[in-house]
Amino acid sequence: MSNAKQKEPVTIVDSVETLEIRLAEIRKAQEQYATYTQEQVDAIFRAAAIAANHARIPLAKMAVEETGMGIVEDKVIKNNYAAEHIYNAYRNVKTCGVIEEDPVYGVTKIAEPIGVIAAVIPTTNPTSTAIFKCLLALKTRNGIIISPHPRAKASTIAAAKIVLDAAVKAGAPAGLIGWVDVPSLEMTNMVMKEADIILATGGPGMVKAAYSSGTPAIGVGAGNASAVIDKSADIINAVNSIIHSKTFDNGMICATEQTIIAHKDVYDAVRDELVKRGCYMLNDEEKDKIRRTMLINGALNAKIVGQRPVTIAKLAGFEVPEDVKVLVGEVESTSVDEAFAHEKLTTILALYKADSFEEAMDKAEQILVNAGGLGHTSSLWVDEVNEREKIMTFADRMKTCRILVNTPSSLGGIGDLYNFKFTPSLTLGCGSWGGNSVSENVGVKHLLNIKTVAERRENMLWFRTPDKVYFKKGCLPVALSELRDVLHKKRVFLVTDSFLYKNGFTKVITDKLTDMGIAYTVFSDVEPDPTLLSAQKGAEAMRSFEPDCVIALGGGSAMDAGKIMWVLYEHPEADFLDMAMRFIDIRKRVYTFPEMGQKAYFIAIPTSSGTGSEVTPFAVITDQTTGHKYPLADYQLLPNMAIIDTDLMMSAPKGLTAASGFDAMVHALEAYVSVMATDYTDGLAIRAMQLIFANLPTAYNDGTNVAAREKMATASTMAGMAFANAFLGVCHSMAHKLGAYHHLPHGVANALLLTDVMRYNASEKPRKMGTFSQYKFPHALERYCECAKACGVTGETNEEIFEKFLAKLEALKETIGIKKTIRDYGVDEKAFLDSLDQMSEDAFDDQCTGANPRYPLISEIRAMYLKAYYGEEK
Amino acid sequence: MADVLTFPVPGKLYFKKGSLPVALRELRDVYRVSRAAVTADEAMRHDGRIDAVTRVLQDLGLSYAVNSTSFTAEAAIAFGSHETWDALPETGLRIIIPTRIDTIGAKAWLGADMVILDEDVLHDDTPLPVQRWQILDNARRSLKGENASDYTLAWAVQAMRLVFDGDDSAETLLHAASLARLAYAAAVPGDARMGTEDLLDDAAAALCTTAHALEQRICGYAVTALGDR
Ligand SMILES: NC(=O)c1ccc[n+]([C@@H]2O[C@H](COP(=O)([O-])OP(=O)(O)OC[C@H]3O[C@@H](n4cnc5c(N)ncnc54)[C@H](O)[C@@H]3O)[C@@H](O)[C@H]2O)c1
Ligand SMILES: [Fe+2]
């Protein structure tokens, strides 16, 4: 190639241009490495870890020589740790491609590399941190460009090179790991700007630069750990562990103790033990000298970092014996002006006395806030068995991401040495308190992009009914005998309305109860569309009677009132508004309904054919103060037993027969087109429709016709079972509010709205369709036509069948005396229009709306109300 | 006919692919059970299919044992064929997770507190024509049961509707089979007593056809199934 612009191969990176070329090389290598398999990656990871481990001693020597800080033998441990513990922690962790697969839930997780990591390495751990970051990069298929600290560049680069050579030898693309040979602030900034992610370990300035670079960054901040020694602690263990920790590599690990705060009762013991083990207590004059040497213009003096006491003392202008381990300054102030309160990164410790455990925590907190170290590490020495509460209080109070208990914090904080579930790392996140994005010990998961492939799954569905459903004309006394023979009940509370009570409907039941020797009382004050107030009264009566069985006898009103009384009786503490809280998924609702049946068994016995309340988990109740109607829904409200005996329905007046009979029709239709419909509810809904078309006219015209009454009773319960599980739709939402605002019987309100709602739902291109995983496309039209055909409607096209079906429903309404419009029921036009906006909004918010196949807009509901009022589009 | 009829169904019937782990969560969250005894067909244990249950129990932190006679538990889970369903104890929480649907066993479902139909573990490898025929046969026979009612008829007819007009997908046939078996189990008492009536006419009317035409149609399926056996 004779490209004049072709550059010379770069040997060292010392300028913006050479850095660009190196970055391009790393990028190219990384692109190739991204195609490697887990197996290949693991082999490379292993080879690199072994090579780093082999070089632990020369690298340690080199680091100490170059930086003049720390202790060779301890740096050997750090290098060894960075190779061995990191390898061991991740050897079997999946980091390439599919890392997790859950076919049941349909979730697959795929790990992909991020690209090129910019690694900023500190002087304090120049080789171990380099090894650590390079190994993480290899394991995650990332490239890495290292920006060493100017004072430690040779050793950092040597470490990186060892890892790179071993990796390439094991098959990694050449050039995957790169570094800046001549570091400067400008170069570091550029490295950070060009990389795909920054992994910055260092002082606050460096971390801030990383976060400000515009590149996603994992920067971790400065430590300043306090060790609180409670009076319950094992002092000898505590002090010796702290000395061991503090002297490790001359105090250069960021998690190292900088301060001891000892309880006054053990303060002297702590002090004595420190002295006994070779620590030096500074006198006042020496303390001042140290203070002046330690901080220069508020910043830590680099000359004392990682030094032994003898060296520090000399720098400060006094002498201590050669073998002193730590210089200890007894101090009181926790303010920013107290140099001893700061992070020292060397063999100097502050010692505070606290009057109580409380005060010790106060001091530790003040130090974090005033002198730095928020988010990093704190430690507590305490009796772990008998003082659990102190541990939790301490954990609660400290704004640090590592809270170590009875553990030397330097080697304890980096993980896996004193606690084997604690992630090993040389980069420790400090959370938002430390201005960081990560609060854990940084590991491979922070260097991967994880894709989640989520496949569509359908919600679990169910079919539930009361435990026992008895039916057949005349079954009531037989079914009730279970109360004594099987259930062994002793006290029955019978809920009904005054009409039914006065007309002797309760007699069959009370006679049978007397027969069986079961005590009972009757509550007969239920009004139509029962209110919360009356339910509360009933519950009060229950509380004084203490029944073990509640029987609700009557239409929807008595059964619903009975259910609410039952709840209030079993759970006087339950809040009604909580129970009425709207939900999207009954199984995930925020409010957990109280558990029912602890005190009483619940039996529902309908006297009208319509609501299906005897088999539903719903109860509709009106708040007497606002007039709002609330449909409560929870399977806890499902009766335990339902007894459907036609004998009780023979005398239902025409109006009730028509209204409640048509209500059942609407239940069946709404359940069938509900987004939650299932094969189990479909079969019941269709059968119910067939029976209603065939029998409602007769039941209406000739109330004495037993067969028609019986079929209507069955239809109503079947429709109830269908909507108990598939739920209803927007026709009921609208009917609830229309009934509440303008006092129309529930069934009539539904009848007036039904065909308009069906037309609305049947649209093939609805503005919005219902949201439910199994509802795949708008198919209400087709579903209505299935109903139509099962009910004998025929036609050429779906449109034709649908129109004929609507006509058939309208004809049924006419036969049973239901008028055409809301206006025909004498609802005042002005009153209707005045309420319209509020009514539309309330209907939209009704619990029944969620299962509707078309998700309604409030304006659409409003338009349907108007249409139903006038009988024509307005 | 009896003075009283009932419509027995399982306490809770849960279904849909993936429902098993979701439904079993109730052991901990609703029933607050800490020990569960699992009864499984030996084959399930050997080929590891039992993991679908034990893994969930583990995740829930429950103690459990599989096919142990000495392990006492608050809940019993039957996983597999009807032999395991019938082995459930009389008392305590009873859960059935069928791995196949069969006619004889469906009665056990009615007495269970929970039945979970999850396509991840429930498969029917019977040839399709035979499956269809078995569904129709169960549905048809349920119409004559001593306890047949509009309720059982509704499910029997729905099962037939799914066979006649359904999409033949595994899911559709699974639920058709379950509906037909449940209808049969509810309509025909334990001693297999048949009633004096036959609801065939009603079923035919419900399917908008005549009794004769319906019988003919069912026969047609029987012939195809026989050819396939
Ligand atoms: N819980 C549910 O699942 C559900 C479903 C639909 C409707 N509802 C609610 O049910 C209520 C409507 O119920 P409903 O239509 O049964 O009316 P209802 O219970 O209000 O009864 C209306 C009137 O008919 C009388 N009556 C009942 N049975 C009789 C009989 N056999 N002979 C003579 N008179 C009789 C009652 O004494 C009452 O005066 C509404 O509050 C509605 O919101 C509840
Ligand atoms: Fe209703």
Side-chain angles (χ1 to χ4, degrees):
Chain A
M1 264 193 282
S2 60
N3 189 335
K5 282 207 161 165
Q6 194 175 357
K7 299 206 169 84
E8 291 289 301
V10 169
T11 46
I12 63 160
V13 176
D14 56 357
S15 65
V16 171
E17 292 74 37
T18 46
L19 176 59
E20 295 236 306
I21 295 167
R22 180 61 33 95
L23 274 169
E25 283 169 11
I26 298 173
R27 229 170 248 297
K28 203 167 143 236
Q30 192 274 331
E31 270 162 32
Q32 194 192 337
Y33 192 46
T35 66
Y36 280 35
T37 63
Q38 187 75 61
E39 227 181 347
Q40 289 171 301
V41 165
D42 286 349
I44 292 166
F45 180 55
R46 180 164 187 273
I50 291 172
N53 204 3
H54 277 317
R56 63 192 182 278
I57 295 177
L59 285 176
K61 280 188 177 158
M62 212 177 151
V64 172
E65 207 164 287
E66 183 180 15
T67 61
M69 300 171 184
I71 300 169
V72 170
E73 291 76 0
D74 290 343
K75 286 204 187 292
V76 170
I77 292 184
K78 282 206 255 187
N79 290 338
N80 197 340
Y81 171 90
E84 175 184 299
H85 284 250
I86 299 305
Y87 173 70
N88 185 56
Y90 299 116
R91 56 198 289 180
N92 292 321
V93 173
K94 285 194 189 168
T95 51
C96 305
V98 176
I99 54 170
E100 216 180 291
E101 232 179 335
D102 189 338
V104 172
Y105 288 103
V107 172
T108 308
K109 296 209 168 160
I110 300 175
E112 297 226 1
I114 288 176
V116 176
I117 301 170
V120 181
I121 313 282
T123 33
T124 48
N125 309 310
T127 53
S128 51
T129 306
I131 294 169
F132 166 70
K133 291 185 179 179
C134 288
L135 287 179
L136 288 190
L138 289 175
K139 178 74 190 184
T140 52
R141 293 188 294 177
N142 286 302
I144 185 167
I145 171 97
I146 289 175
S147 178
H149 193 282
R151 273 177 37 197
K153 59 177 190 279
S155 45
T156 293
I157 291 169
K161 195 163 180 321
I162 285 166
V163 176
L164 174 65
D165 290 348
V168 171
K169 213 168 146 213
L176 190 60
I177 296 174
W179 48 84
V180 175
D181 293 273
V182 185
S184 67
L185 201 60
E186 190 200 2
M187 297 284 272
T188 304
N189 282 335
M190 184 171 160
V191 163
M192 295 203 288
K193 202 160 165 289
E194 297 287 312
D196 299 304
I197 191 161
I198 303 167
L199 190 51
T201 315
M206 180 55 62
V207 171
K208 183 140 192 281
Y211 282 125
S212 315
S213 67
T215 304
I218 300 168
V220 295
N224 190 17
S226 291
V228 167
I229 303 183
D230 182 53
K231 62 178 177 202
S232 68
D234 172 345
I235 304 303
I236 297 179
N237 179 14
V239 171
N240 286 285
S241 298
I242 293 171
I243 296 171
H244 174 58
S245 174
K246 182 67 183 170
T247 52
F248 185 80
D249 205 19
N250 287 340
M252 281 200 294
I253 286 188
C254 52
T256 305
E257 296 85 351
Q258 306 296 331
T259 298
I260 294 176
I261 305 169
H263 188 278
K264 67 169 193 305
D265 293 359
V266 295
Y267 186 87
D268 290 342
V270 167
R271 196 180 184 284
D272 293 348
E273 186 67 18
L274 283 167
V275 173
K276 178 175 167 196
R277 302 291 172 177
C279 297
Y280 181 88
M281 290 291 155
L282 299 162
N283 63 31
D284 286 346
E285 198 193 322
E286 288 162 349
K287 272 188 263 181
D288 273 338
K289 285 183 173 162
I290 288 287
R291 285 189 182 105
R292 282 197 296 273
T293 319
M294 196 161 32
L295 291 189
I296 294 176
N297 298 330
L300 187 61
N301 179 1
K303 287 197 185 122
I304 66 158
V305 172
Q307 304 304 326
R308 294 168 53 221
V310 61
T311 318
I312 300 170
K314 208 170 280 162
L315 269 169
F318 61 96
E319 303 267 324
V320 294
E322 167 71 24
D323 61 354
V324 164
K325 289 182 176 164
V326 179
L327 301 175
V328 182
E330 292 173 282
V331 289
E332 277 161 22
S333 164
T334 53
S335 83
V336 65
D337 311 323
E338 174 52 81
F340 277 95
H342 290 246
E343 186 187 31
K344 300 164 270 286
L345 287 176
T346 192
T347 47
I348 304 172
L349 250 181
L351 176 59
Y352 290 83
K353 186 192 281 188
D355 283 340
S356 63
F357 182 60
E358 227 8 75
E359 204 203 75
M361 291 192 294
D362 290 343
K363 284 202 151 71
E365 205 168 38
Q366 288 154 15
I367 290 170
L368 286 173
V369 172
N370 298 337
L374 267 175
H376 207 295
T377 300
S378 41
S379 80
L380 175 65
W381 295 88
V382 69
D383 177 344
E384 211 176 295
V385 178
N386 299 309
E387 300 285 4
R388 303 296 306 167
E389 216 182 300
K390 281 189 180 156
I391 298 179
M392 286 334 284
T393 315
F394 185 74
D396 194 40
R397 280 282 295 279
M398 293 302 114
K399 284 193 167 60
T400 55
C401 298
R402 271 152 294 276
I403 289 157
L404 305 169
V405 179
N406 296 339
T407 299
S409 69
S410 60
L411 292 176
I414 61 179
D416 209 23
L417 290 170
Y418 288 85
N419 181 306
F420 311 100
K421 260 209 122 160
F422 195 23
T423 316
S425 180
L426 288 174
T427 298
L428 314 183
C430 301
S432 65
W433 299 308
N436 301 170
S437 58
V438 176
S439 59
E440 299 164 294
N441 286 5
V442 172
V444 292
K445 73 171 177 195
H446 301 107
L447 298 175
L448 291 166
N449 282 328
I450 308 228
K451 295 173 174 168
T452 302
V453 182
E455 292 167 52
R456 185 171 179 153
R457 281 288 179 276
E458 297 190 352
N459 300 60
M460 181 176 82
L461 286 175
W462 57 85
F463 184 80
R464 299 181 61 175
T465 64
D467 291 342
K468 296 259 167 67
V469 181
Y470 288 104
F471 52 94
K472 249 190 113 142
K473 189 171 181 301
C475 69
L476 178 59
V478 191
L480 281 183
S481 52
E482 268 217 4
L483 275 186
R484 183 193 52 198
D485 302 344
V486 181
L487 300 163
H488 313 295
K489 296 296 172 197
K490 308 234 154 38
R491 299 173 74 77
V492 167
F493 189 97
L494 181 56
V495 181
T496 189
D497 64 29
S498 60
F499 173 86
L500 294 169
Y501 180 64
K502 285 191 194 122
N503 286 279
F505 279 76
T506 45
K507 202 166 168 316
V508 224
I509 300 176
T510 51
D511 283 356
K512 178 77 193 177
L513 293 174
T514 311
D515 248 22
M516 298 191 288
I518 295 177
Y520 65 84
T521 185
V522 182
F523 178 92
S524 62
D525 286 345
V526 174
E527 66 245 49
D529 297 326
T531 60
L532 185 57
L533 187 69
S534 73
Q536 278 159 343
K537 271 198 242 150
E540 217 159 281
M542 276 187 199
R543 276 195 284 277
S544 64
F545 184 72
E546 300 198 328
D548 54 10
C549 174
V550 175
I551 298 182
L553 170 84
S557 299
M559 288 188 284
D560 285 10
K563 288 178 184 174
I564 308 284
M565 290 175 197
W566 183 37
V567 176
L568 298 176
Y569 165 54
E570 298 224 358
H571 296 280
E573 77 292 348
D575 181 26
F576 175 75
L577 281 178
D578 285 345
M579 294 192 271
M581 193 192 299
R582 230 71 77 248
F583 55 82
I584 294 176
D585 184 333
I586 195 165
R587 289 181 19 259
K588 297 181 187 158
R589 62 192 304 173
V590 177
Y591 176 72
T592 309
F593 231 80
E595 201 172 318
M596 298 293 293
Q598 313 288 74
K599 292 185 183 161
Y601 190 85
F602 189 89
I603 301 179
I605 308 176
T607 61
S608 66
S609 291
T611 68
S613 184
E614 68 277 9
V615 289
T616 73
F618 310 117
V620 186
I621 189 111
T622 305
D623 180 344
Q624 68 283 352
T625 52
T626 58
H628 281 306
K629 257 193 159 189
Y630 292 104
L632 304 193
D634 196 282
Y635 285 97
Q636 292 292 346
L637 290 175
L638 195 63
N640 303 106
M641 184 191 289
I643 304 173
I644 299 105
D645 184 345
T646 322
D647 277 343
L648 298 167
M649 300 165 192
M650 297 305 295
S651 64
K654 272 180 141 60
L656 179 65
T657 304
S660 56
F662 208 85
D663 186 23
M665 174 66 92
V666 180
H667 293 160
L669 273 164
E670 294 216 279
Y672 197 84
V673 298
S674 157
V675 298
M676 294 179 67
T678 68
D679 293 325
Y680 303 86
T681 59
D682 285 356
L684 293 165
I686 291 230
R687 187 65 189 151
M689 289 175 222
Q690 292 173 332
L691 291 175
I692 296 168
F693 273 123
N695 296 284
L696 183 53
T698 317
Y700 174 79
N701 287 317
D702 173 13
T704 61
N705 186 314
V706 175
R709 287 284 198 196
E710 175 125 46
K711 289 291 184 193
M712 280 307 297
T714 304
S716 142
T717 304
M718 284 210 265
M721 289 178 177
F723 88 89
N725 294 287
F727 300 170
L728 294 165
V730 84
C731 185
H732 263 79
S733 302
M734 292 174 67
H736 286 146
K737 309 309 164 188
L738 180 60
Y741 278 79
H742 299 292
H743 308 291
L744 289 172
H746 174 74
V748 170
N750 268 300
L752 290 168
L753 295 160
L754 178 69
T755 47
D756 290 331
V757 170
M758 285 171 69
R759 222 180 261 291
Y760 168 78
N761 282 343
S763 166
E764 301 267 67
K765 45 173 171 37
R767 193 86 69 95
K768 289 175 183 298
M769 71 177 216
T771 306
F772 195 60
S773 183
Q774 29 268 81
Y775 194 63
K776 296 188 169 129
F777 59 91
H779 68 184
L781 175 64
E782 213 173 288
R783 297 282 287 165
Y784 284 130
C785 289
E786 286 165 17
C787 301
K789 286 184 265 182
C791 295
V793 178
T794 54
E796 293 293 313
T797 62
N798 271 350
E799 286 68 22
E800 186 194 343
I801 293 172
F802 182 59
E803 286 304 325
K804 281 189 177 167
F805 189 43
L806 293 182
K808 191 176 162 96
L809 286 162
E810 288 297 339
L812 175 65
K813 272 163 64 178
E814 203 167 319
T815 317
I816 58 170
I818 290 176
K819 297 176 183 147
K820 291 270 174 234
T821 64
I822 300 174
R823 183 159 55 172
D824 294 341
Y825 278 89
V827 173
D828 177 63
E829 182 170 6
K830 181 167 184 311
F832 180 79
L833 293 175
D834 284 349
S835 67
L836 185 57
D837 287 336
Q838 194 57 47
M839 201 162 63
S840 306
E841 194 175 313
D842 290 355
F844 167 80
D845 191 37
D846 190 278
Q847 185 59 61
C848 293
T849 303
N852 200 63
R854 179 168 177 180
Y855 186 70
L857 302 183
I858 297 169
S859 60
E860 293 169 338
I861 290 177
R862 190 176 184 279
M864 281 190 277
Y865 269 135
L866 279 171
K867 171 90 191 309
Y869 185 84
Y870 295 106
E872 58 192 321
E873 230 72 67
K874 271 277 156 164
Chain B
M1 264 213 244
D3 300 339
V4 213
L5 284 175
T6 63
F7 179 43
V9 294
K12 291 174 180 175
L13 180 67
Y14 283 132
F15 47 97
K16 281 278 165 194
K17 187 171 155 55
S19 55
L20 190 159
V22 183
L24 282 188
R25 244 183 263 158
E26 287 197 1
L27 280 177
R28 185 190 62 192
D29 299 345
V30 176
Y31 299 103
R32 304 200 175 82
V33 156
S34 59
R35 292 165 71 81
V38 183
T39 311
D41 293 315
E42 276 308 316
M44 302 290 156
R45 246 159 69 128
H46 283 127
D47 63 16
R49 270 184 286 171
I50 187 72
D51 293 353
V53 173
T54 51
R55 214 179 309 121
V56 178
L57 298 178
Q58 249 158 39
D59 287 351
L60 293 172
L62 267 63
S63 329
Y64 66 88
V66 182
N67 294 352
S68 156
T69 46
S70 56
F71 187 78
T72 55
E74 304 132 284
I77 301 174
F79 182 73
S81 70
H82 73 87
E83 275 135 43
T84 68
W85 317 341
D86 290 338
L88 282 179
E90 300 280 307
T91 55
L93 190 68
R94 297 141 51 89
I95 298 177
I96 292 179
I97 307 170
T99 53
R100 45 172 303 175
I101 293 190
D102 68 29
T103 314
I104 339 159
K107 209 139 249 134
W109 293 14
L110 303 183
D113 296 289
M114 192 190 286
V115 173
I116 306 167
L117 307 179
D118 182 345
E119 289 149 73
D120 281 337
V121 296
L122 178 54
H123 308 282
D124 196 343
D125 40 22
T126 319
L128 207 66
V130 179
Q131 276 190 51
R132 292 198 202 99
W133 156 244
Q134 283 174 346
I135 293 166
L136 293 176
D137 185 47
N138 275 283
R140 173 70 187 89
R141 284 197 285 149
S142 77
L143 301 176
K144 279 201 257 191
E146 193 185 19
N147 296 340
S149 67
D150 270 302
Y151 298 87
T152 59
L153 176 114
W155 276 2
V157 165
Q158 181 67 12
M160 292 182 178
R161 208 177 272 130
L162 290 172
V163 170
F164 294 152
D165 306 326
D167 55 11
D168 268 350
S169 68
E171 184 179 7
T172 300
L173 287 170
L174 159 67
H175 291 301
S178 147
L179 284 161
R181 263 65 163 194
L182 284 167
Y184 179 84
V188 181
D191 48 13
R193 245 177 305 135
M194 290 297 158
T196 46
E197 284 177 73
D198 185 342
L199 301 185
L200 182 69
D201 286 329
D202 299 67
L207 286 161
C208 297
T209 180
T210 63
H212 180 70
L214 179 58
E215 291 268 42
Q216 290 288 303
R217 201 165 177 190
I218 296 175
C219 270
Y221 278 88
V223 172
T224 327
L226 272 175
D228 220 89
R229 257 210 244 251

